[in-house]
Amino acid sequence: MNMVKNINRSVDEHVGSRARMRRMMLGMSQEKLGDALGLTFQQVQKYEKGMNRISASRLQHMSQILQVPVPFFFEGAPGATDGMPEPPSYVKDFLATSEGLALLKAFMRIENAKLRRVIVRLVEDCAEL
């Protein structure tokens, strides 16, 4: 029974993390999302941390507000069988931060592949300091 609870908790955390990532990609505050859902920003926080489970109807509404299909929230979820491997936790943790998301968005706008490689080397060198 504990294993089922752990899987459910992991899925709730994953769905909340995906909601947070998408909200941040849109530059939307927790308060604005909460207002659109008829909730407080504290409730949005609880959803994003996976402390509270998001109901099906609320997830549907959230998908419309965040402009993604419902399956978006489950991509890479524990136990998902979508054929895609789950990214390592450090990738999800990185993308869940505002700095990580900003870095990724800026990096993806760089069209010059040589410049991208130079930036990667620079960051690797900085990490060794």
Side-chain angles (χ1 to χ4, degrees), residues 30-31 33-35 37-45 47:
Q30 288 177 330
E31 186 174 9
L33 179 57
D35 287 346
L37 291 168
L39 303 170
T40 64
F41 79 91
Q42 292 96 335
Q43 184 62 45
V44 172
Q45 282 179 332
Y47 285 152

Side-chain angles (χ1 to χ4, degrees), residues 60-84:
Q60 172 78 33
H61 189 196
M62 191 179 290
S63 76
Q64 293 167 350
I65 295 164
L66 297 178
Q67 304 165 10
V68 291
V70 171
F72 167 85
F73 299 105
F74 297 95
E75 290 173 4
T81 57
D82 57 7
M84 298 291 293

Side-chain angles (χ1 to χ4, degrees), residues 8-18 48-51:
N8 288 342
R9 176 79 173 186
S10 294
V11 171
D12 293 340
E13 289 171 355
H14 180 83
V15 168
S17 174
R18 297 283 291 176
E48 290 183 354
K49 292 179 182 179
M51 294 171 63

Side-chain angles (χ1 to χ4, degrees), residues 4-128:
V4 172
K5 283 184 180 180
N6 288 340
I7 290 172
N8 288 342
R9 176 79 173 186
S10 294
V11 171
D12 293 340
E13 289 171 355
H14 180 83
V15 168
S17 174
R18 297 283 291 176
R20 180 176 192 272
M21 179 181 70
R22 181 61 183 163
R23 177 184 60 75
M24 291 175 66
M25 287 175 75
L26 294 173
M28 183 183 292
S29 69
Q30 288 177 330
E31 186 174 9
K32 185 174 178 184
L33 179 57
D35 287 346
L37 291 168
L39 303 170
T40 64
F41 79 91
Q42 292 96 335
Q43 184 62 45
V44 172
Q45 282 179 332
K46 289 178 182 181
Y47 285 152
E48 290 183 354
K49 292 179 182 179
M51 294 171 63
N52 287 3
R53 182 169 292 159
I54 305 172
S55 71
S57 58
R58 181 136 304 140
L59 192 61
Q60 172 78 33
H61 189 196
M62 191 179 290
S63 76
Q64 293 167 350
I65 295 164
L66 297 178
Q67 304 165 10
V68 291
V70 171
F72 167 85
F73 299 105
F74 297 95
E75 290 173 4
T81 57
D82 57 7
M84 298 291 293
E86 185 173 337
S89 62
Y90 66 86
V91 172
K92 292 190 287 187
D93 293 345
F94 175 72
L95 292 176
T97 67
S98 56
E99 296 89 358
L101 190 56
L103 183 61
L104 175 65
K105 288 166 87 175
F107 187 81
M108 295 305 294
R109 288 194 312 265
I110 300 171
E111 294 181 13
N112 185 314
K114 187 175 180 179
L115 179 56
R116 285 196 306 265
R117 285 191 297 273
V118 169
I119 291 169
V120 169
R121 275 188 250 121
L122 172 67
V123 173
E124 288 173 338
D125 289 346
C126 289
E128 291 178 8

